[in-house]
Amino acid sequence: MSARSKARKRALDILYQADVRGDDLAATLAAEARRAVSEPAREASWLYAREIVDGVIDNRDEIDEQIATFAKDWSIARMPAVDRAVLRIGVWEILHNEQVPTAVAIDEAVELAKEFSTDDSGPFVHGVLARIARAS
């Protein structure tokens, strides 16, 4: 697994944890940063995970607006928490990270959804992100 794939999983953990617990995302990120100091072997994945989560924090309204617009018949609140987190990562990468090709962002998000969410989540995430990519 590549360092960026590991970072996406780590970002997913942070986003999911804050969402499910109802915690402030910045506080959850700060707690993870304190933990990351003691894990120098995982520094490469931590740096990109932090970039993702910071990007989601900085662009949350725009990201959620895109998800709400392109998730046909699904409100953000109704989505499984894992799907919300995966979509936020994917949308951030598509709209705000020029270093990641759109196809890679979508594929990585779909793989996270398949691994950590429901059987229907992979196609759902793919559909939403593909629509956002086409519109951007």
Side-chain angles (χ1 to χ4, degrees):
M1 180 181 286
S2 75
R4 284 211 168 171
S5 294
K6 289 176 186 175
R8 287 179 187 96
K9 183 184 178 308
R10 201 166 181 173
L12 174 63
D13 290 343
I14 295 166
L15 293 169
Y16 176 79
Q17 176 181 337
D19 190 10
V20 169
R21 291 183 177 177
D23 293 342
D24 178 69
L25 184 52
T28 302
L29 180 61
E32 185 64 21
R34 288 189 295 277
R35 184 176 326 151
V37 170
S38 67
E39 300 174 327
R42 296 176 60 194
E43 183 178 5
S45 70
W46 164 245
L47 294 175
Y48 189 56
R50 181 177 192 117
E51 184 179 348
I52 292 168
V53 177
D54 279 336
V56 170
I57 291 169
D58 293 344
N59 300 284
R60 177 100 174 242
D61 291 341
E62 176 195 11
I63 289 168
D64 284 358
E65 181 181 318
Q66 290 289 310
I67 294 168
T69 299
F70 292 99
K72 295 181 178 182
D73 301 323
W74 280 89
S75 69
I76 291 177
R78 233 182 90 206
M79 292 175 194
V82 173
D83 293 3
R84 266 194 306 272
V86 168
L87 285 167
R88 287 174 175 150
I89 292 167
V91 173
W92 177 79
E93 284 191 317
I94 290 167
L95 299 181
H96 298 283
N97 189 345
E98 295 177 5
Q99 296 176 345
V100 176
T102 297
V104 171
I106 293 171
D107 287 346
E108 290 280 338
V110 168
E111 289 306 311
L112 284 171
K114 285 181 183 177
E115 185 173 351
F116 296 107
S117 197
T118 69
D119 291 340
D120 296 329
S121 292
F124 173 72
V125 166
H126 184 272
V128 173
L129 294 178
R131 287 189 288 277
I132 290 170
R134 279 194 297 274
S136 63

